[in-house]
Amino acid sequence: MPLLARSIQTPLHIDVRRGAVADLGRILADGRISAGGDVAVVVGPGLGERVVNLIRPTLGSADVYTTSGGTLDAALELSGKLRARSYDAVVGIGGGTTVDTAKYAANRWGLPMISVATSLANDGIASPVASLVHDGIKGSYGVHIPFGVIVDLDFVENGSDRVNRGGIGDVISNISALADWELAREVRGEPVDGLASSLARMGAEAMLSMPGDMTDDAFVTVLAESLISSGLAMAVCGSSRPASGGCHEIMHAIDSLFPGTGSHGELAGLGALFCTFLRGDERRFAQMSACLGRHQLPRLPADVDLDADQFVEAVAFAPRTRPDRYTILEHLAMSPDEIRRKLAEYVEAVTDR
């Protein structure tokens, strides 16, 4: 993935609570975001349209565009529409694919972008990265971090429980990503940004120990704030390094080879647990396995309808998804037979807990 523009700039507005969407008009009135009120609103085919109808009085004469698919082509098509007239800002309302499409399109023309998340599937709600599919492979594209992030718990509550729980897997995968970063420092001398590490670690540690579930406002608030903190970590260091290691290599490999088996967060959590097992970190493995199990997230390939052969193929392919990244997968450089043996040991370790 290309390096992001290094900056410690944070969003001008972060709002996580019930009723937060009602303040969208006030946020857009901030002269640093929209001087003239000419705003483009990007929504997905589902809940985003409902949000627009509810906040229409605060949007004035904003143009509304519907996008779907989460592909680079869709983002480029939206970018062309944004170029048709002069906008002050772009508002992306919906799940991760809608927000990422809006981020990429806004970034093409240097427009401020407000992220209004209706789900908590992954840390894309506040990250300087747009994950988009191109030629059947999901890639990560550096963009400007959103100027504002709104998470309205009312809309999250009405969303898919499975989709929202995926965010838990994405957050705790930071533990594995940070371990990979430290490994790269030890082996290759790669610099590690302490502030970025701390931001990424805070949310992950909170999720590992936070009581409650997606029915509890306090838990959902911490999850949302943890995802935002993860996005800020990437903005601070100028890359996705603090939140993406071997865990995400496995996730991207499964996405490419066996699409539709699991969500971003589900696969990132599974990949993180497997990578942690490969490191032999029994304490972290126990913590992460317990957290994933508690929230009914995948821990075994079978949980996402993958058999052993498919998972071995994905792990072998994983380093090719991020050829510039050094993780436990590159460090061990396992053959398919070695991966298969480790997988058998891993399955036994998970089922024993």
Side-chain angles (χ1 to χ4, degrees):
M1 189 196 80
L3 287 177
L4 313 179
R6 180 177 174 84
S7 171
I8 60 171
Q9 183 175 3
T10 58
L12 299 176
H13 302 272
I14 296 176
D15 202 354
V16 181
R17 59 185 171 87
R18 290 187 180 274
V21 164
D23 281 340
L24 180 57
R26 177 182 60 80
I27 293 174
L28 291 174
D30 187 322
R32 293 170 293 178
I33 296 175
S34 176
D38 293 318
V39 177
V41 178
V42 181
V43 301
L47 191 58
E49 295 175 346
R50 289 177 51 197
V51 179
V52 169
N53 290 334
L54 287 171
I55 61 177
R56 171 64 74 179
T58 69
L59 294 178
S61 59
D63 292 331
V64 178
Y65 300 100
T66 300
T67 186
S68 62
T71 65
L72 181 60
D73 286 342
L76 291 172
E77 179 183 354
L78 174 62
S79 176
K81 294 176 181 178
L82 297 181
R83 188 62 170 170
R85 60 169 289 196
S86 178
Y87 290 109
D88 293 327
V90 176
V91 179
I93 303 176
T97 57
T98 301
V99 169
D100 279 355
T101 301
K103 280 195 293 187
Y104 184 90
N107 188 77
R108 290 269 292 179
W109 308 120
L111 296 172
M113 185 269 182
I114 305 295
S115 170
V116 181
T118 58
S119 71
L120 298 176
N122 56 65
D123 57 20
I125 61 175
S127 76
V129 177
S131 295
L132 300 167
V133 176
H134 180 56
D135 290 338
I137 298 176
K138 181 172 286 187
S140 298
Y141 302 87
V143 297
H144 198 287
I145 193 169
F147 275 52
V149 181
I150 297 175
V151 180
D152 193 319
L153 302 187
D154 290 321
F155 293 102
V156 172
E157 181 180 66
N158 291 325
S160 165
D161 185 56
R162 178 185 173 184
V163 169
N164 288 322
R165 280 189 283 114
I168 301 169
D170 202 28
V171 167
I172 69 168
S173 75
N174 288 3
I175 296 292
S176 179
L178 291 170
D180 280 334
W181 205 4
E182 288 293 339
L183 177 64
R185 170 158 64 181
E186 294 171 8
V187 175
R188 302 201 309 184
E190 184 175 325
V192 172
D193 188 303
L195 176 57
S197 295
S198 296
L199 286 168
R201 197 182 309 278
M202 280 192 305
E205 297 287 3
M207 277 293 99
L208 286 176
S209 58
M210 182 71 185
D213 55 27
M214 295 304 300
T215 65
D216 177 7
D217 275 11
F219 179 88
V220 177
T221 298
V222 170
L223 173 58
E225 291 174 345
S226 298
L227 291 169
I228 293 170
S229 179
S230 184
L232 295 180
M234 289 184 262
V236 164
C237 75
S239 86
S240 62
R241 202 42 156 136
S244 174
C247 50
H248 279 59
E249 289 183 340
I250 292 174
M251 180 270 291
H252 286 302
I254 295 174
D255 260 350
S256 298
L257 298 173
F258 313 106
T261 55
S263 70
H264 177 113
E266 288 174 332
L267 297 178
L270 170 61
L273 188 62
F274 183 67
C275 287
T276 301
F277 176 80
L278 294 178
R279 287 187 202 91
D281 190 337
E282 295 183 4
R283 181 179 69 88
R284 281 300 194 193
F285 178 77
Q287 287 179 320
M288 294 168 68
S289 182
C291 181
L292 292 173
R294 186 166 64 249
H295 295 291
Q296 302 176 349
L297 287 162
R299 294 186 295 171
L300 297 171
D303 294 336
V304 290
D305 296 325
L306 293 175
D307 60 31
D309 289 340
Q310 290 172 319
F311 191 76
V312 169
E313 182 181 355
V315 174
F317 180 79
R320 293 167 57 186
T321 68
R322 292 292 182 275
D324 61 331
R325 193 145 291 184
Y326 192 83
T327 77
I328 189 65
L329 301 180
E330 287 80 6
H331 185 68
L332 296 177
M334 298 178 291
S335 68
D337 285 343
E338 289 172 326
I339 297 171
R340 192 179 305 279
R341 286 195 294 272
K342 284 295 184 181
L343 175 59
E345 295 171 7
Y346 169 80
V347 170
E348 183 178 357
V350 171
T351 53
D352 281 347
R353 294 188 178 275

